[in-house]
Each structure stands twice: as C-alpha cells, then as structure tokens.
Amino acid sequence: MENRYLFREAEKIDVKNVFQLILERMQWMDKKAITQWNSAHYDQIYPLSYYEAKREAGELFVLWDTCHQEIVSAGVLLEQDERWSDSSPSLYLHNFVSKLSSNAGANFLKYAELLAKQKQKQFLRLDCAIHNSKLASYYEKLGFQAVGTCKERDYKGILQQKKIS
C-alpha cells in the first residue's frame, strides 16, 4: 500500500467532505449514463445526517491522501448486515465511494481488509448493483467472489466477499 494514505475513522469535520464525494460520484454517473445512485436518489436515501450518525457510531471510515490533504475514499464498515443470511464473522462495507480519477478505492479496500483481519473476521463483504457488471468485475479483480444476490426496496445487488487470510 502506498504510504501517502492514512486510513482512519472519520472525524466530525470529514462528514461533509464524504457527502460531497457521494454527490460528485452521482454527477459522474449522470455524465456516463450509468443508472445507479443518481437515478435512485441515493443522497436522499442516505442524507448527510446518515453519515453523521455513522461517524458518531464509529462506522464511517476515510482514506486521507497526505500529499493532497484531502479525503479520497470513504465507506461505512459494519459488524452486521441483514443482506447476508449467514453469521460468518465478517466486516461489511457500505456507501463506498472514491474520488474521481484516483486509485484510492483499491487502497481503501486493502486497509478495510487489514481492519477485518485485526478484528479477527473471516470475510470482508460488500455488494454492488446487479446490473453494474463493470463494478462487479472490478471487485473480482481485487479478489472478491460473487456468492449470491440481495434485494432491498428497488435495489438488486450481487453479494461479494473476500476471504481474510
């Protein structure tokens, strides 16, 4: 992993920047004609107050770029997830976002995997939209395996996990 990054729990001052990353990603989806967060009104389903609550619970994590002095990736890491039916010790990633034109997402996932290992988890788990094959392929290249599907409201996702070694 690159030494330029610092992976840490989000601080109060970080929450607005994390939410801004979400908004930027939604705009990017509009420009790329990707139907996902932008069409689902993700920012209304997960408003700023949601990220504030996750930060207060110690569940919002950021990847800080020490060279540019900015947050380049963020996500919510949970100990439990109702989208998964088994009880294998796992860390679950949600609301995962990275700054445009950066490789920060892969670095965030590496740090999340290290955190899962520290917490003695068997898996790092996430899901992505079932119709986003490009994103599913990205996760597969990073060592995640598709193991099922999930449905929540209008969302249909692919459940993916990576074994912690």
Side-chain angles (χ1 to χ4, degrees), residues 51-103:
Y51 296 96
E52 290 169 342
K54 292 301 180 186
R55 186 208 57 86
E56 288 176 17
E59 297 171 334
L60 180 61
F61 287 79
V62 298
L63 189 66
W64 178 260
D65 184 326
T66 59
C67 294
H68 295 101
Q69 297 292 298
E70 65 180 349
I71 294 169
V72 292
S73 189
V76 172
L77 290 167
L78 304 172
E79 296 281 333
Q80 297 178 3
D81 187 340
E82 56 193 41
R83 291 180 182 172
W84 292 77
S85 59
D86 74 332
S87 58
S88 298
S90 303
L91 199 58
Y92 302 89
L93 176 62
H94 283 276
N95 314 104
F96 181 45
V97 65
S98 293
K99 189 168 178 68
L100 297 169
S101 69
S102 75
N103 191 30

Side-chain angles (χ1 to χ4, degrees), residues 17-32:
N17 293 325
V18 170
F19 193 67
Q20 185 59 41
L21 281 179
I22 297 287
L23 297 176
E24 288 171 11
R25 187 55 76 169
M26 288 173 65
Q27 289 174 347
W28 175 83
M29 288 174 183
D30 283 337
K31 289 178 188 171
K32 296 288 185 180

